[in-house]
Amino acid sequence: DAGVIQSPRHEVTEMGQEVTLRCKPISGHNSLFWYRQTMMRGLELLIYFNNNVPIDDSGMPEDRFSAKMPNASFSTLKIQPSEPRDSAVYFCASRSTGDSSYEQYFGPGTRLTVT
Amino acid sequence: SQQGEEDPQALSIQEGENATMNCSYKTSINNLQWYRQNSGRGLVHLILIRSNEREKHSGRLRVTLDTSKKSSSLLITASRAADTASYFCATGAGNEKLTFGTGTRLTIIP
C-alpha cells in the first residue's frame, strides 16, 4: 500500500496567489482529514470528510480556505488568496470508519511558504 | 484550542534510559492515542487506550490513563537513537475527530 499521498511536497508562492494542495487517501478508507501544523498553534484539524461529504469544517480559518472531495480517492484544499500567515505544513490523513482502532494514517505533508 | 497539553515540552536522555511523557486533557474522552512524528514527516500511530482501560503495552511502549485526573503517560523503555522524534497525544470523543496535544520533543543521546 502506497499510504496517503500528498502533492506537492513543497510549495512556495507569493501573497495573493491561489494555492491548491492535493491528497489521495489510502484505498478503502472512507474518512479524510486535513490538518495544519505550525510552531505557534500546533496541529489543528481544518476539516474532515466521511464518504466524500464534509462533516465538520469548523476548523477552517476563514473563507479563503475551501476543501473538496469529488470522489473517494481525491481531495483538495485550496487557499485563495494566500497570505504569509498561511505558511505551515498541511497534512492529510485518512482512516476507515470500520477500523475500531480509530487510527489515522497521515501523509508526508505539504510545506507551504507564502512570501 | 488544544485539548491536550504535553509535559515536558522537550526531553533529552541517554540511550538505554527510559523516557516518560505526560499528557493532560480537559473534556471527557472515548479514547486517547499517541503518535510519533519524525522531523519533516507525517505522524505515525503508536498506541491507543480506551477510556475504560488503565494501562496498555505494546513492545517497549507502556501507556497509562487516569480518567479521574484527565491525564495519560507514555513510557518508552530502553530508548534507542531511532526513538528521537516528537510525540503527541490525541484525544477522541468516539466520533471521527481527534484533538492533538502540543507534543514532546524527545532526543536520545547516543
Side-chain angles (χ1 to χ4, degrees):
Chain A
D1 195 327
V4 175
I5 299 172
Q6 291 187 247
S7 65
R9 293 294 310 278
H10 301 273
E11 177 80 33
V12 180
T13 190
E14 292 183 348
M15 184 175 68
Q17 296 298 306
E18 176 180 298
V19 175
T20 299
L21 310 181
R22 297 173 175 79
C23 175
K24 176 178 169 56
I26 291 173
S27 177
H29 284 187
N30 60 340
S31 290
L32 183 140
F33 308 80
W34 282 102
Y35 291 91
R36 177 173 69 177
Q37 186 176 39
T38 61
M39 288 295 292
M40 292 298 297
R41 300 177 66 88
L43 194 65
E44 305 172 279
L45 176 66
L46 300 177
I47 185 171
Y48 81 91
F49 296 82
N50 183 257
N51 294 323
N52 312 337
V53 175
I55 302 301
D56 186 338
D57 66 354
S58 59
M60 296 285 263
E62 47 198 278
D63 292 345
R64 297 184 298 106
F65 285 68
S66 63
K68 294 182 179 179
M69 191 163 187
N71 58 63
S73 59
F74 183 66
S75 177
T76 59
L77 178 67
K78 185 177 294 186
I79 308 172
Q80 165 64 16
S82 58
E83 297 182 3
R85 60 193 168 117
D86 301 331
S87 297
V89 181
Y90 291 81
F91 288 102
C92 175
S94 70
R95 71 175 288 261
S96 169
T97 52
D99 181 357
S100 61
S101 76
Y102 294 101
E103 175 179 353
Q104 293 186 12
Y105 295 78
F106 281 74
T110 294
R111 181 173 297 277
L112 173 65
T113 303
V114 183
T115 61
Chain B
S1 63
Q2 292 289 339
Q3 162 78 305
E5 296 287 335
E6 266 105 329
D7 168 51
Q9 290 188 339
L11 177 63
S12 292
I13 61 173
Q14 294 288 333
E15 190 169 19
E17 294 181 340
N18 296 341
T20 299
M21 289 158 271
N22 302 296
C23 167
S24 60
Y25 57 92
K26 297 176 182 174
T27 62
S28 296
I29 63 170
N30 168 276
N31 67 87
L32 187 145
Q33 304 178 40
W34 285 89
Y35 285 77
R36 183 186 72 225
Q37 184 179 31
N38 290 90
S39 180
R41 310 286 290 272
L43 280 74
V44 175
H45 181 265
L46 294 176
I47 192 167
L48 173 145
I49 188 165
R50 300 180 191 276
S51 60
N52 61 352
E53 298 175 312
R54 292 296 168 260
E55 187 171 314
K56 205 159 183 183
H57 297 255
S58 177
R60 294 185 296 114
L61 305 179
R62 173 177 168 255
V63 173
T64 62
L65 178 65
D66 186 335
T67 53
S68 67
K69 295 181 179 178
K70 290 186 168 59
S71 68
S72 173
S73 68
L74 172 67
L75 169 68
I76 304 174
T77 61
S79 63
R80 304 167 182 170
D83 295 329
T84 294
S86 292
Y87 292 82
F88 295 86
C89 68
T91 53
N95 55 19
E96 293 281 3
K97 291 177 66 170
L98 290 179
T99 304
F100 284 82
T102 51
T104 292
R105 189 169 63 253
L106 175 65
T107 302
I108 307 301
I109 303 166

